[in-house]
Amino acid sequence: MQTRTQHFLDTPIEYLKGVGPERAAILKNEAAIYTFGDLLKLYPYRYIDRTQFYSIEHIDNTQTYIQLKGKIKNIQEVGNGRARRLTAVFYDNSGQIELVWFQGLKWLQKSLSQTETYILYGKPTWFNGKMNITHPELEKLADYNAETVGIFRSMYNTSEKMKTKNLDSKAIFKLMQQLLSQLKPEHISDMLPASILSKYKLLNRLDAIRNIHLPQTLALQNEAVKRLKFEELFLIQLNLLQLKIIRKREAGIYFEKIDATFKSFYDTHLPFELTNAQKRVLKEIRKDTLSGKQMNRLLQGDVGSGKTMVAFLTMLMAVDNQHQAALMAPTEILAQQHFAGLSAYCSQIGVRMVLLTGSTKAKERKHILQDIASGEAHLIIGTHALLEDAVQFHNLGIVVIDEQHRFGVAQRAKLWKKNTVLPHVLVMTATPIPRTLAMTLYGDLDVSVLDELPPGRKPIKTVHRYETQRIAVFEFMRDEIAKGRQIYIVYPLIDESEKVDLIDLQNGFESISRAFPLPTYNVSIVHGKMKAENKDFEMQRFVKGETQIMVATTVIEVGVNVPNASVMIIENAERFGLSQLHQLRGRVGRGAEQSFCILMTTHKLTADGKKRIQTMVETNDGFKISEVDLELRGPGNMDGTQQSGNIDLKIANLATDGPIVEEARKAAIALLEADATFNKIEHLSLKNYLMQLNTNKSFWQNVS
Ligand code: ADP
Ligand code: MG
C-alpha cells in the first residue's frame, strides 16, 4: 500500500491527461511542478462563487472577475496586423457589454454561436471610456453543470510565461479536475494521526485536498484550508521540537561554580539593583548551565529592559568555570559600545576582554587571535568577524548573540561548531517579536522574557508633527537644550549607498547648523559612509556632552546608550518600519528625565504609514508594536526574518493564523511527549512521512 501511495503522487506530471512534454516543461520551470503530488500542492489563491450571476446593468469598475449569463451577437474582425482582433457583443435582459479577443480568432469565428446561451466568466475593464471584457471564458449553458464545474471556481496564480502558453488559471483548474478524478483514497495517506484529527476537528487529508481545489461548499473550503494550514504548521513544530530534543541530548558544559568573579562583581560593583525580571531570567540561565545539557535560550526583552547586564553576568558564570565567553553583535558600532560599556566592569574584577571586528587592524588582530586561542582573553566581543575560520577559541563556554534577528540560523550553527563540546547559546532579540513568530522562528529554543523595565523610567512621550510645524519643533529643541539635554535627529538611510538619502542628510545637517549656530550650539553628524575613526570621534563628542545635537542615519539604531539624550526626532518617519521606529525611540528615555520622541512627516501618508505613526504615538509597548508590525508587513518582511526558511509557508500565514500555530505546537508537544519515537501504530503514517522527507537525519539515527 505504501509503495502504491507513493507511486501515484510521484507520477511525473507529463503523464497527466492534458499535459504532455511541452506543458510539463513549462510547469517544471515556471512552477516547480514535477509530479502529480506537486500539482496538488498548488493551492488556489481565491475562489469564485459560480452560483452568483451578475446583471450587465450592474457592472461598474469595482468588480474583478464576474460571471454573466447571456447571448452573443455582432461577431466581427476589426483592425489590421498586430491590432487585428475579434469583437462581439454580449447581452442579457439588462444590457450589453463588448467582448474582445486578440488570439485564436479563426477558431473563435468558427465556434461561437449566436443562438446558444453562454455562461461568461471574465474581468471587466475600462478601455477608451467603454467597459469590455477581453478573452472571457465562455461555456455553453447546456454544458454548464455545477457538479463538474464545481460550485466554486478556484483561481490559481500562474506566471506570464504560463499564461502565454495557455496554462492560465482556468487551464490549471482543468488539470486539477482531471487529477482529482483519478485520485483514490488509497493514494493519500494521512500523516496526521486520527486522535489529532478528532481533537482539533480537522478534515482528513483526502477530503482537504479535494475541497481546497474543488470545494463543495464554502464551509468545506474553510475546513480544507484550516486542515492544510494546521498540517503545515504542525510539521514545522514537530521539526523544531525534534531539534530541541536532539539538543537536550547533547552534553553541555557544566558551569559548576559561581565563584570570585561573579560574586565580587555582583556584590560590590553592580551599578544598580537588578529588576525582578532580570533576576528571574538569570535563574533560568543558571538552571540551564547546571543541567549538564547545552543551553539554547532566546531572551526576549523590550528596548531598554536591560538585556546587556543579563548577558554580562551570564558570561561571568563562564569565566568562573574557566571558560571563555563570546558576545556577538550585528554592527560594528554596537560591538564597540558593548566593549566600551563593559570595559569598566571588567577592569574592576580583573577579567580580560578583547574586541574583534572587521576593522580591527592586522597587527592588533594577530595579537587578539593569539589571546583568543591561548585562552588569555576571557570575554570576546565582536561582530560577524568572530565567525571567520581564523578565530580559534581556547575553551568557549557560551555564546551570546545580541540582536539575534539579524543573524541567520546557519550563522548561529557556525559559531557553535567551533567547539567539540557545544557551548551554551543565549540569543537576544533587539525588540520583541510576536509570540506566533517566535514560536515558528525560534521554536527550537527555550524562551525567557524580560517583561519589566528598570525602575524610575518615565514613559517616553511621542508626538506626530508635520513639516509645516518645524519652527515650533525648533523652539522645543532650544528649550530642551537650555535644560541641559541632548537631541538625536535621525534621517532615513535605507540603503547606505543611496545618494539621495545622503544628500537629504547633508541638507538636514546644514539647516540644523544654521538654526542652531555656533558658539551656543554644537552639532555632530554621523553616517555609515564616514571613516570609522571620524564616526567614533563624533560619537565620543556627543557621549561626552560636547555636542548637543547628533544628526545621524540609522547607524545609531541599535544599542547606542547616551542617558543624557532625551529627545529623538525622526525625519521622514513614514519611511521607517515599526520595529525600527521603536528601536530608534529606545535610544532616549534612558536617564531620569522626561524624554520625547517627535515623528516628522509630510502630509502625504499612506494608510500603512498612518497606522505606523499612530501606533507609535499610542504605545511604548514593544510587544504590542511588534504585533501591529506583523499585521502590516507580514512575517517575511519583518526585520531580519528573511533568512528563515520557516517563514516561507505555502498556505499558513503567521500574521493571521496565530491560533492555529498555537494548536499545532500544542499537538506536536503532546505527540512527542506521548511517543517521541513514533512507535505507536497510529503514528506509523506520520513516521513514514517524516522519514521520507528525511529531515532531522540525526534525530532518526538516534530513533532507529
Ligand atoms: P537593552 O535590553 O535594550 O539591550 P540595555 O541593556 O542597553 O537594554 O539597558 C538599558 C539601560 O538600562 C542601560 O543604561 C543599563 O545600564 C540600564 N539598566 C539595565 N538594568 C538596569 C536596572 N536593573 N536598573 C537600572 N538600570 C538598568
Ligand atoms: Mg541591547
Side-chain angles (χ1 to χ4, degrees):
M1 179 121 146
Q2 191 57 33
T3 52
R4 262 179 71 199
T5 298
Q6 284 164 26
H7 195 209
F8 182 76
L9 292 183
D10 292 343
T11 315
I13 195 69
E14 47 263 57
Y15 295 114
L16 185 64
K17 196 168 161 237
V19 176
E22 201 198 342
R23 282 184 140 189
I26 295 168
L27 286 171
K28 284 174 199 174
N29 292 333
E30 295 289 308
I33 294 170
Y34 292 83
T35 63
F36 286 8
D38 292 338
L39 182 62
L40 289 177
K41 280 188 218 140
L42 181 68
Y43 299 134
Y45 67 92
R46 64 193 191 89
Y47 301 86
I48 307 296
D49 184 345
R50 302 226 61 180
T51 60
Q52 289 290 326
F53 290 97
Y54 260 84
S55 289
I56 292 177
E57 66 175 341
H58 290 144
I59 297 176
D60 53 34
N61 55 2
T62 61
Q63 298 95 4
T64 53
Y65 284 85
I66 53 170
Q67 198 169 235
L68 304 169
K69 197 188 297 185
K71 288 188 174 173
I72 294 175
K73 65 181 183 190
N74 300 357
I75 302 167
Q76 54 181 324
E77 273 191 50
V78 295
N80 290 308
R82 298 200 60 182
R84 218 161 78 98
R85 60 199 187 272
L86 189 71
T87 64
V89 170
F90 191 81
Y91 62 100
D92 65 11
N93 297 334
S94 72
Q96 56 183 45
I97 186 168
E98 190 184 45
L99 306 182
V100 184
W101 293 267
F102 297 97
Q103 270 154 22
L105 309 193
K106 272 215 177 75
W107 181 81
L108 280 160
Q109 286 261 34
K110 253 195 292 180
S111 61
L112 288 176
S113 151
Q114 310 223 11
T115 52
E116 294 273 358
T117 300
Y118 285 95
I119 305 284
L120 177 150
Y121 177 74
K123 186 178 169 184
T125 46
W126 279 96
F127 188 71
N128 283 344
K130 241 174 37 182
M131 191 72 83
N132 71 26
I133 299 179
T134 49
H135 283 264
E137 281 177 29
L138 288 167
E139 206 157 357
K140 290 176 187 164
L141 181 63
D143 298 340
Y144 178 83
N145 169 346
E147 249 169 53
T148 56
V149 179
I151 293 171
F152 295 95
R153 159 63 58 88
S154 309
M155 301 297 291
Y156 297 91
N157 274 320
T158 59
S159 68
E160 275 313 308
K161 202 159 184 185
M162 289 167 78
K163 286 191 185 82
T164 60
K165 297 284 179 185
N166 249 337
L167 273 168
D168 57 2
S169 175
K170 181 187 174 187
I172 297 287
F173 183 70
K174 287 247 152 79
L175 294 180
M176 210 63 89
Q177 281 180 308
Q178 174 61 37
L179 180 52
L180 288 172
S181 73
Q182 285 171 246
L183 192 68
K184 298 196 173 65
E186 65 263 32
H187 294 145
I188 301 286
S189 66
D190 200 334
M191 79 289 270
L192 294 186
S195 58
I196 288 184
L197 294 185
S198 73
K199 175 150 190 209
Y200 295 95
K201 302 192 175 54
L202 301 169
L203 283 191
N204 68 51
R205 195 142 194 267
L206 179 69
D207 288 345
I209 289 172
R210 288 216 163 112
N211 279 290
I212 193 156
H213 294 296
L214 284 181
Q216 290 307 302
T217 64
L218 198 58
L220 275 169
Q221 182 267 333
N222 279 330
E223 292 295 306
V225 169
K226 183 184 171 199
R227 144 77 209 216
L228 293 168
K229 284 178 171 179
F230 185 98
E231 169 185 318
E232 182 170 46
L233 295 166
F234 175 79
L235 292 170
I236 288 175
Q237 287 304 328
L238 214 50
N239 196 39
L240 288 167
L241 291 163
Q242 283 177 316
L243 258 178
K244 198 165 167 179
I245 291 175
I246 299 168
R247 296 253 186 74
K248 298 259 173 204
R249 267 201 292 263
E250 289 290 349
I253 301 161
Y254 192 58
F255 288 173
E256 196 186 346
K257 306 173 288 223
I258 289 281
D259 225 340
T261 327
F262 187 101
K263 279 194 193 129
S264 85
F265 181 74
Y266 196 92
D267 295 341
T268 48
H269 302 294
L270 196 65
F272 37 68
E273 163 123 39
L274 295 183
T275 63
N276 287 327
Q278 284 170 319
K279 286 180 191 162
R280 186 186 66 235
V281 170
L282 276 167
K283 273 188 201 137
E284 287 165 351
I285 291 169
R286 183 79 199 114
K287 208 169 144 203
D288 286 352
T289 53
L290 274 175
S291 70
K293 305 289 179 198
Q294 186 201 16
M295 170 173 78
N296 277 281
R297 188 166 282 281
L298 173 71
L299 175 53
Q300 283 233 60
D302 207 344
V303 187
S305 57
K307 294 185 286 284
T308 316
M309 186 49 77
V310 172
F312 184 66
L313 288 167
T314 303
M315 294 197 288
L316 294 186
M317 292 181 198
V319 175
D320 267 341
N321 290 276
Q322 283 72 52
H323 281 282
Q324 292 171 301
L327 170 61
M328 188 159 77
T331 65
E332 184 108 17
I333 289 204
L334 191 51
Q336 281 165 6
Q337 273 248 333
H338 278 317
F339 186 74
L342 300 177
S343 283
Y345 301 154
C346 285
S347 57
Q348 288 168 335
I349 48 176
V351 166
R352 267 213 63 200
M353 181 168 68
V354 294
L355 174 69
L356 185 74
T357 71
S359 68
T360 307
K361 298 262 156 39
K363 200 171 142 209
E364 207 190 336
R365 191 180 146 84
K366 206 175 133 204
H367 285 294
I368 290 173
L369 287 176
Q370 276 169 4
D371 286 355
I372 295 174
S374 69
E376 234 155 276
H378 303 135
L379 304 190
I380 300 101
I381 313 287
T383 55
H384 286 79
L386 295 182
L387 298 173
E388 284 160 22
D389 291 335
V391 183
Q392 294 295 332
F393 294 98
H394 173 68
N395 195 357
L396 185 62
I398 180 162
V399 181
V400 181
I401 305 179
D402 196 10
E403 325 295 357
Q404 151 71 14
H405 65 230
R406 299 190 176 210
F407 290 104
V409 172
Q411 288 174 315
R412 264 200 265 157
K414 197 168 171 190
L415 241 185
W416 56 63
K417 275 192 194 125
K418 283 178 173 285
N419 261 38
T420 40
V421 187
L422 297 177
H424 298 299
V425 179
L426 180 68
V427 160
M428 307 197 291
T429 57
T431 56
I433 50 177
R435 198 180 139 73
T436 321
L437 201 57
M439 268 194 287
T440 313
L441 281 177
Y442 308 116
D444 56 330
L445 308 181
D446 294 309
V447 180
S448 292
V449 183
L450 283 179
D451 50 6
E452 184 187 353
L453 292 179
R457 297 264 174 90
K458 292 198 181 79
I460 301 162
K461 287 191 178 144
T462 303
V463 294
H464 176 200
R465 293 286 180 265
Y466 294 105
E467 196 47 51
T468 45
Q469 295 163 296
R470 168 119 7 227
I471 291 170
V473 172
F474 279 173
E475 272 313 304
F476 176 76
M477 289 168 65
R478 288 197 189 94
D479 290 349
E480 288 301 303
I481 293 172
K483 289 184 207 157
R485 311 286 133 69
Q486 288 169 285
I487 297 174
Y488 293 107
I489 304 181
V490 177
Y491 285 79
L493 201 55
I494 288 22
D495 174 353
E496 298 270 330
S497 71
E498 276 182 30
K499 280 207 186 99
V500 186
D501 284 342
L502 210 53
I503 290 168
D504 280 356
L505 177 76
Q506 287 293 355
N507 290 343
F509 174 66
E510 278 159 28
S511 80
I512 295 292
S513 300
R514 275 195 300 275
F516 294 86
L518 288 163
T520 320
Y521 302 101
N522 283 284
V523 186
S524 287
I525 180 168
V526 168
H527 60 80
K529 280 270 181 278
M530 285 164 70
K531 282 212 182 95
E533 60 225 53
N534 295 344
K535 235 185 326 199
D536 207 43
F537 177 76
E538 286 297 322
M539 280 304 300
Q540 286 313 322
R541 288 211 311 152
F542 189 68
V543 171
K544 288 185 206 138
E546 293 169 11
T547 63
Q548 297 89 24
I549 302 176
M550 160 69 75
V551 176
T553 59
T554 46
V555 291
I556 64 153
E557 181 186 339
V558 275
V560 177
N561 194 20
V562 182
N564 191 49
S566 64
V567 181
M568 167 63 66
I569 298 174
I570 305 177
E571 299 288 339
N572 296 111
E574 72 275 12
R575 287 177 58 189
F576 291 89
L578 261 178
S579 78
Q580 224 180 356
L581 288 172
H582 183 59
Q583 261 297 322
L584 285 170
R585 178 169 60 184
R587 296 309 106 215
V588 296
R590 298 179 161 249
E593 311 305 333
Q594 175 63 54
S595 289
F596 302 89
C597 175
I598 303 176
L599 305 169
M600 301 292 303
T601 75
T602 62
H603 283 279
K604 278 184 251 150
L605 284 179
T606 61
D608 274 16
K610 260 195 203 118
K611 177 91 183 166
R612 286 197 296 269
I613 304 290
Q614 188 192 343
T615 305
M616 288 294 293
V617 170
E618 274 167 14
T619 183
N620 275 306
D621 181 337
F623 280 95
K624 272 191 201 144
I625 288 171
S626 71
E627 296 284 351
V628 178
D629 198 22
L630 179 61
E631 199 182 295
L632 287 179
R633 292 211 275 178
N637 295 316
M638 292 187 59
D639 286 350
T641 56
Q642 284 85 350
Q643 312 96 324
S644 170
N646 285 346
I647 292 286
D648 250 344
L649 299 168
K650 261 195 132 57
I651 185 161
N653 177 346
L654 293 178
T656 49
D657 293 330
I660 308 182
V661 177
E662 303 262 3
E663 283 187 349
R665 184 163 175 96
K666 238 199 296 178
I669 290 171
L671 188 143
L672 287 171
E673 273 173 3
D675 184 22
T677 52
F678 307 93
N679 281 332
K680 289 191 180 161
I681 288 288
E682 75 151 344
H683 298 154
L684 184 64
S685 183
L686 179 60
K687 184 174 186 170
N688 286 335
Y689 182 86
L690 294 172
M691 286 174 83
Q692 217 173 300
L693 285 183
N694 208 7
T695 55
N696 284 359
K697 269 210 182 93
S698 54
F699 181 83
W700 292 106
Q701 278 159 10
N702 286 319
V703 167
S704 47

